[in-house]
Amino acid sequence: MTQQSTSLLVGLLAGISAALLLVSAGSPSSLSFILFAAAALPILIAGLGWSNLASIVAVASAMAVIGFVTTPQAALVSAVTTLAPAAWIAHLSNLARPAEEVGGPDGAVIWYPLSEIVVRIALCVCIGLVAVGLAMGYGTDFVSELVDIFVSSLKESNAGYQPTPDGIAEMKQFFLYALPAIQAAMWVLILLAGWYIASAIVRLSGRSKRPKDDIPSQLRMPRTGALALGAGVVMSFVGGGIGLIGWTICGAFGASFIVAGFAIAHHRTRGKPARGLVLWAAYLSTIIFTVPLAFFLFLGLFDTARTLTGTGSGPQSKP
């Protein structure tokens, strides 16, 4: 079997797997979120371990299956939010260039920077969520209906819950801007975790082109990410659709800087006697109180860089 035919077969199987995960996630169950989050894995594995052709075929076949089983609109939403970003991330991860082009030693290879991969993940999330929001007509009416359904379900489960009209109005205003930010942050984390897991799986299989990134020492967001976050903050003070886009940008790039902040904490505690205790306390306090997220956000903001991963051999394609 030729390399091209292998890529076609792998892409077809990966696409069917991704489609089944997404369709299964549509049915209400306790595993829905896990299935939805894992849908990017087959696309990432196909692209990282085989070729761009495999990931493209995977995206196309997944869209075909989802469109046939559900609706074409669902297939398009899946492609914009999950399938296409996964294929793009896999493509970027396999890009490399000769090290001498950036002042490195002869014969070495520099891989696409991890920091830029994280920026592209955040950018893909922003574009995908904004496109879906425009298609769905996300706005005051949409959130109002959503909150009304949420409040009704709470009343059914708890008869003593009787919110005031002012309380419901405040809840609708909060969710209007909080949902884009929360969804963007969650989706950045999901795609980044998917990339990390898929990279580990491909390395274990021996098909990895890219060497393992030392995330604690290499994950530093570039200054372009800080500029994007600043633009999002400014836009968030504007009303209407621009404000909603701003909150989406804040959520996506804010989550990226928080992850970079945790990477810095891992790096700076290396070799310290109480490293395990400090890191566990950091993660536990974040989960319980969420306030420490601000500390890691600023830690990531105040340490920006563009780090490179280099090896002695590899493909000579340019990004």
Side-chain angles (χ1 to χ4, degrees):
M1 184 178 291
T2 64
Q3 183 177 356
Q4 185 174 8
S5 58
T6 302
S7 295
L8 290 172
L9 179 60
V10 169
L12 180 62
L13 294 175
I16 294 173
S17 301
L20 292 176
L21 288 169
L22 287 170
V23 172
S24 301
S27 58
S29 69
S30 58
L31 295 176
S32 294
F33 180 78
I34 297 175
L35 294 173
F36 198 71
L41 275 176
I43 311 295
L44 286 164
I45 292 172
L48 291 170
W50 277 264
S51 63
N52 288 334
L53 176 61
S55 59
I56 292 171
V57 171
V59 172
S61 57
M63 289 182 64
V65 173
I66 295 171
F68 178 77
V69 175
T70 57
T71 62
Q73 291 80 2
L76 187 59
V77 169
S78 299
V80 171
T81 58
T82 303
L83 305 175
W88 178 242
I89 294 165
H91 165 68
L92 294 177
S93 299
N94 286 335
L95 291 179
R97 64 192 303 177
E100 55 263 27
E101 292 185 4
V102 291
D106 294 340
V109 172
I110 297 297
W111 295 84
Y112 197 82
L114 174 61
S115 56
E116 297 294 336
I117 292 176
V118 178
V119 168
R120 299 306 184 273
I121 289 175
L123 185 61
C124 286
V125 167
C126 291
I127 294 173
L129 291 183
V130 169
V132 172
L134 290 173
M136 293 174 60
Y138 183 87
T140 305
D141 295 336
F142 180 89
V143 174
S144 178
E145 182 179 353
L146 188 66
V147 171
D148 288 339
I149 296 173
F150 177 68
V151 171
S152 298
S153 63
L154 285 178
K155 288 180 178 179
E156 292 177 0
S157 59
N158 184 8
Y161 178 71
Q162 295 296 331
T164 63
D166 291 340
I168 294 178
E170 291 178 0
M171 188 183 299
K172 291 178 180 180
Q173 186 70 12
F174 171 76
F175 277 108
L176 176 64
Y177 295 105
L179 282 178
I182 294 172
Q183 285 182 327
M186 290 293 294
W187 205 240
V188 165
L189 296 178
I190 287 171
L191 286 177
L192 186 57
W195 173 83
Y196 179 82
I197 295 171
S199 299
I201 292 173
V202 173
R203 279 197 304 271
L204 287 174
S205 69
R207 298 195 60 89
S208 179
K209 305 176 182 67
R210 183 186 181 97
K212 183 179 180 180
D213 294 275
D214 184 19
I215 293 179
S217 63
Q218 293 180 336
L219 182 49
R220 303 291 184 273
M221 289 290 287
R223 292 179 178 85
T224 53
L227 293 175
L229 180 59
V233 171
V234 172
M235 292 170 64
S236 67
F237 288 98
V238 182
I242 295 178
L244 294 175
I245 294 174
W247 280 101
T248 304
I249 295 173
C250 288
F253 283 91
S256 302
F257 276 101
I258 288 171
V259 173
F262 275 103
I264 293 169
H266 276 263
H267 181 62
R268 292 185 179 178
T269 55
R270 277 181 170 172
K272 306 296 183 182
R275 182 174 191 262
L277 179 61
V278 170
L279 293 177
W280 272 107
Y283 282 107
L284 190 60
S285 62
T286 300
I287 294 172
I288 296 175
F289 302 109
T290 69
V291 176
L293 288 176
F295 168 77
F296 290 102
L297 171 64
F298 286 108
L299 184 60
L301 278 169
F302 285 112
D303 193 352
T304 58
R306 188 173 185 268
T307 56
L308 301 174
T309 299
T311 56
S313 61
Q316 299 296 309
S317 58
K318 297 182 181 180

